[in-house]
Amino acid sequence: METILSVQNLQKTFKLSKKQQKLEKDHKTTKVAVAGLDFEAYKGEVFALLGPNGAGKTTTLRMISTLIKPDAGDCIVDGSSIVSAPESVRSKIGFLTSELKLEDFFTPNYLYDFFSDLHGVPESERMARKEKLFQTFGIDQFAEVKVSNLSTGMKQKVSIAISLVHNPDIIIFDEPTNGLDVITAKTVTDFLVSLKNEGKTVIVSTHIFSLVEKLADRVGIIINGKMVCCDSLANITAEKCLEDVFFDIYVEEVGTDEK
Amino acid sequence: MKSNLATIIKKELSRFFMDRKLLLNTVLIPGLMIYIIYTLMGSVFTSLLTTDDNYVYKISAVGMPQSIEAVLKEADIPYKEISEDDVMAKKDKITDGTEDLCVVFPDNFDSAVESYDSQSGTAAPEIQIYYNSGETASYECYQTFTSLLDAYENSMINKFDINSSDKTFDLADGSDLMSRMMFALIPMLFLTLLFSGCCAIAPDFIAGEKERGTVATLLVTPMKRSSLAFGKIISMSIMALLSGLSSFLGVMLSLPKLANMGENGNSMFDFSGLGTLEYVLLLLLVLSVVLVLVSVLSLISAQAKTVKEAGTAMGPLNIIIMVVGIAGGYMAAADTGIATSFIPLYNFAKNMTCIFAGTPDVLAITVTVVSNLVYTAVCTWGLTRMFNSERLMFSN
């Protein structure tokens, strides 16, 4: 298996605001979000990061996508370091998170072309790819409608299309189906399957077990910023279903009281 | 591959020009409103402060002497003789604005004046003139009447004349003093208008994008942060220039009406002394100062968490800009050193005034433009660092 993404001892600690400090039981001034994470993703696989809220999934993906810098450690994405070559990393990945919003004033058509320009997609490739993505997500009918007038689901579809304008080999989606209706969620899930079939590497974070069971080749379970389990889905679910395995690990790591 | 800088500028300008409401609020309305308001104010003031050319003053007089009667006749000013008993009634009419003037001469005024010796120490014959300074016609009438009396008094004791021949003794152009004052104000006007234009756009430009989460979408593209920073600054400069130009046109077109000048072709803004070089220097000054203003406001916008916070932080700068603009404008003549051309904003006001005064200092202007470009480069570097700062970009 060819390693396309390698996370090495990734660490991130956030300073807490006074308001956040009051919410912490021990009034700590900092919070360790990611504590020395190591894992690898192989070419053409779907790697799922599974964990409860606050486990460090989103922070990990934001560091891999170079939106934030790690305090220590590194991640090599298709040969480029997120620390020393962030621009190169950004050109190789497609990243989608609910925090990334589209400008309401523009149409999907305009935004697609704008982000294609920023990624340096040649005009010759752009049209065919746009047509394909817009058809897949049913955006073609709304291509000239301002984003402000689109439904939440359609906005998410446009966001996905725009994150893939440069046809990246590595796609990182953070909670891609969060807040979507079942129809839109299925469209997105099916699209992730099609990306896998195209040989793309997909890294997805979620806390939805069914999504992981449907998509993932390998699973990494993160709790309190640490990778507590990383194996193939087949191995992890050999004896128990994923949900049971997850809660067994959770109880072992955190204790029953916080379950 | 298209330049990312050009892509960012194109997108920001598209946003600006396609948004009719924004375009209307930042470019069209400021200039139009300034023009309409100043023109209306000019019309109202003019009608309040002047009387109709055909207006006939309503003057009453008690004991009008022959000497003054002749003076009034020559000036074609009519009057009505009344008795001393009617003075109270006339004073009431002057108070309510239905009559303009009531003049009470002492008995035998002419002979009393003739026999009066100014060395005697006794009081001179007194003429009492009742008028209403709150009424334009009454006040004008009072001034006309007293000036006629002054002229008559001077003619009685004339020992020498000053500038009485037909020659032109004031060698200055009629509009010079006003022009000098106005030209010293123009840099301040320019700065405040450009600043207002920037303030209409700047808070939303980066803080708004942060607040809406759209800046993060840009930050995950392979574009260099410096391209994003510089693209934002250039596009905002273009918008600020357009907004400032609109306001400036509004001011320039309406000021002559406000000052009630230009009717006789005597404009207070005479740009005929400016040649191509002066216009090029002016353009360079304006462009460089816009870059400085926009760069500083971009830093404030990037620092703020919300549009509201950015707007609040930018407000006090307006006072600084006005003070620096006025200082530069009025101190320009005395300030001949190069060192002050390094002071941002002040250097613009000082050198702009010098250009209008016909004494442009090319070296000082070059220092101004270069130093402004350096300040912009420093701010762009700062903005690039801010775009790299997760604490600032993802503080929400």
Side-chain angles (χ1 to χ4, degrees):
Chain A
M1 296 274 247
E2 187 187 342
T3 301
I4 197 164
L5 187 146
S6 172
V7 173
Q8 300 156 1
N9 190 31
L10 214 53
Q11 294 174 38
K12 186 72 183 176
T13 301
F14 290 114
K15 280 183 187 168
L16 296 178
S17 65
K18 284 186 179 169
K19 199 174 170 185
Q20 287 168 324
Q21 285 174 35
K22 282 178 191 167
L23 297 173
E24 292 288 311
K25 285 172 189 169
D26 47 4
H27 295 275
K28 283 188 294 190
T29 55
T30 58
K31 180 177 170 63
V32 178
V34 177
L37 213 61
D38 290 284
F39 71 90
E40 288 181 336
Y42 304 123
K43 197 169 186 180
E45 75 168 0
V46 174
F47 184 91
L49 276 176
L50 191 63
N53 287 341
K57 304 188 297 291
T58 298
T59 305
T60 302
L61 296 189
R62 284 167 74 170
M63 283 192 281
I64 295 172
S65 63
T66 76
L67 262 183
I68 58 174
K69 295 186 189 88
D71 296 334
D74 201 349
C75 173
I76 307 300
V77 180
D78 198 12
S80 302
S81 157
I82 59 166
V83 178
S84 58
E87 279 154 24
S88 170
V89 170
R90 288 198 286 269
S91 67
K92 290 174 180 173
I93 61 165
F95 179 57
L96 182 76
T97 163
S98 57
E99 290 164 316
L100 303 187
K101 300 279 171 26
L102 299 172
E103 281 204 56
D104 275 358
F105 183 79
F106 293 110
T107 63
N109 208 12
Y110 183 93
L111 287 171
Y112 189 94
D113 290 341
F114 170 68
F115 282 99
S116 295
D117 282 341
L118 291 183
H119 280 281
V121 181
E123 296 273 349
S124 52
E125 292 173 23
R126 186 182 304 180
M127 283 311 291
R129 184 155 179 78
K130 179 160 66 171
E131 208 170 299
K132 185 186 165 197
L133 283 169
F134 277 24
Q135 268 180 4
T136 303
F137 289 110
I139 302 168
D140 41 1
Q141 302 163 50
F142 304 96
E144 293 302 335
V145 177
K146 279 187 183 177
V147 170
S148 56
N149 296 328
L150 297 176
S151 65
T152 308
M154 188 52 72
K155 280 181 188 169
Q156 178 76 336
K157 288 175 184 174
V158 175
S159 292
I160 293 173
I162 280 169
S163 69
L164 302 173
V165 288
H166 53 308
N167 198 13
D169 285 330
I170 304 162
I171 293 135
I172 303 169
F173 281 175
D174 181 20
E175 309 274 9
T177 56
N178 243 16
L180 298 181
D181 66 273
V182 286
I183 308 290
T184 313
K186 186 176 184 330
T187 310
V188 173
T189 310
D190 290 349
F191 181 69
L192 291 175
V193 172
S194 73
L195 286 175
K196 178 184 171 182
N197 295 336
E198 281 176 33
K200 307 282 186 190
T201 306
V202 180
I203 297 169
V204 61
S205 86
T206 185
H207 52 256
I208 302 170
F209 297 109
S210 61
L211 186 71
V212 177
E213 283 170 331
K214 186 171 181 181
L215 284 175
D217 295 302
R218 292 195 311 127
V219 181
I221 297 175
I222 303 182
I223 293 171
N224 289 338
K226 291 176 194 156
M227 185 69 83
V228 292
C229 170
C230 185
D231 205 342
S232 69
L233 180 69
N235 285 346
I236 288 176
T237 56
E239 292 175 9
K240 289 178 180 177
C241 73
L242 184 61
E243 191 173 347
D244 289 344
V245 173
F246 175 82
F247 282 114
D248 285 348
I249 292 171
Y250 188 85
V251 169
E252 198 177 307
E253 289 293 322
V254 180
T256 47
D257 290 346
E258 289 190 42
K259 187 174 173 178
Chain B
M1 184 173 159
K2 263 171 124 177
S3 149
N4 283 336
L5 177 65
T7 305
I8 290 292
I9 294 172
K10 188 181 149 200
K11 175 235 168 191
E12 297 297 349
L13 292 181
S14 300
R15 168 82 177 83
F16 183 68
F17 286 109
M18 284 160 63
D19 189 342
R20 277 183 232 159
K21 210 191 273 180
L22 186 65
L23 201 61
L24 205 71
N25 285 334
T26 51
V27 177
L28 202 65
I29 287 183
L32 198 66
M33 288 308 289
I34 287 172
Y35 178 76
I36 292 172
I37 290 169
Y38 279 18
T39 304
L40 276 176
M41 279 167 66
S43 304
V44 171
F45 286 147
T46 303
S47 66
L48 278 175
L49 299 176
T50 55
T51 50
D52 195 319
D53 286 345
N54 299 320
Y55 182 80
V56 179
Y57 295 129
K58 299 181 185 80
I59 303 171
S60 308
V62 178
M64 175 68 76
Q66 282 183 338
S67 54
I68 305 298
E69 187 178 9
V71 171
L72 290 179
K73 199 171 181 183
E74 197 180 327
D76 198 21
I77 297 176
Y79 74 95
K80 191 178 160 190
E81 185 71 40
I82 56 168
S83 70
E84 208 160 346
D85 298 340
D86 297 331
V87 171
M88 280 305 291
K90 289 295 176 188
K91 280 164 74 175
D92 289 342
K93 286 191 174 181
I94 290 167
T95 305
D96 64 27
T98 51
E99 294 211 7
D100 302 320
L101 214 65
C102 179
V103 191
V104 181
F105 291 92
D107 292 338
N108 304 315
F109 174 78
D110 283 339
S111 55
V113 168
E114 203 171 328
S115 60
Y116 176 69
D117 177 9
S118 59
Q119 308 292 322
S120 67
T122 55
E126 184 197 8
I127 305 168
Q128 295 175 335
I129 306 172
Y130 299 99
Y131 70 106
N132 182 351
S133 63
E135 292 289 334
T136 305
S138 178
Y139 186 64
E140 271 189 10
C141 184
Y142 171 75
Q143 287 192 315
T144 308
F145 202 92
T146 49
S147 63
L148 286 173
L149 292 176
D150 284 341
Y152 174 69
E153 187 185 21
N154 286 338
S155 71
M156 290 169 65
I157 53 163
N158 191 18
K159 300 278 181 169
F160 61 87
D161 293 326
I162 302 167
N163 287 351
S164 61
S165 64
D166 290 340
K167 289 179 187 170
T168 305
F169 293 96
D170 183 2
L171 301 177
D173 185 298
S175 59
D176 268 7
L177 181 63
M178 179 65 96
S179 293
R180 257 202 329 268
M181 289 180 65
M182 291 311 295
F183 282 146
L185 278 177
I186 285 178
M188 186 273 289
L189 267 177
F190 241 106
L191 281 176
T192 48
L193 293 175
L194 287 172
F195 182 75
S196 306
C198 293
C199 277
I201 310 155
D204 187 70
F205 224 62
I206 298 171
E209 288 227 40
K210 279 168 65 180
E211 202 174 354
R212 292 190 296 273
T214 51
V215 75
T217 317
L218 290 172
L219 296 178
V220 291
T221 66
M223 163 181 55
K224 284 192 168 118
R225 305 290 206 248
S226 55
S227 296
L228 179 60
F230 206 44
K232 287 262 180 197
I233 285 175
I234 290 182
S235 43
M236 194 164 34
S237 298
I238 295 171
M239 297 172 204
L241 272 175
L242 285 174
S243 179
L245 183 69
S246 156
S247 305
F248 184 68
L249 281 176
V251 171
M252 295 301 256
L253 292 174
S254 57
L255 263 184
K257 298 188 181 198
L258 182 63
N260 197 24
M261 296 184 79
E263 282 175 14
N264 52 3
N266 186 21
S267 171
M268 75 180 91
F269 299 110
D270 182 8
F271 296 111
S272 58
L274 301 186
T276 312
L277 175 68
E278 281 78 9
Y279 277 112
V280 170
L281 294 175
L282 267 179
L283 183 69
L284 288 174
L285 276 178
V286 171
L287 288 177
S288 70
V289 82
V290 164
L291 284 173
V292 171
L293 279 175
V294 164
S295 306
V296 171
L297 293 181
S298 296
L299 291 179
I300 294 173
S301 187
Q303 178 74 34
K305 285 180 186 170
T306 61
V307 175
K308 194 178 168 187
E309 194 181 310
T312 309
M314 287 172 193
L317 278 182
N318 204 10
I319 297 163
I320 296 171
I321 294 224
M322 283 176 75
V323 171
V324 174
I326 290 172
Y330 284 104
M331 287 162 70
D335 181 5
T336 52
I338 288 290
T340 50
S341 293
F342 287 100
I343 304 171
L345 304 180
Y346 176 87
N347 54 14
F348 167 80
K350 171 195 151 182
N351 284 301
M352 190 181 224
T353 309
C354 288
I355 290 176
F356 284 131
T359 54
D361 182 346
V362 177
L363 179 63
I365 292 170
T366 308
V367 170
T368 297
V369 172
V370 171
S371 59
N372 282 351
L373 289 177
V374 170
Y375 299 138
T376 304
V378 171
C379 289
T380 309
W381 173 79
L383 192 60
T384 305
R385 285 186 64 92
M386 289 168 102
F387 278 130
N388 271 320
S389 163
E390 60 199 63
R391 184 182 63 81
L392 288 173
M393 288 301 116
F394 305 105
S395 53
N396 290 324

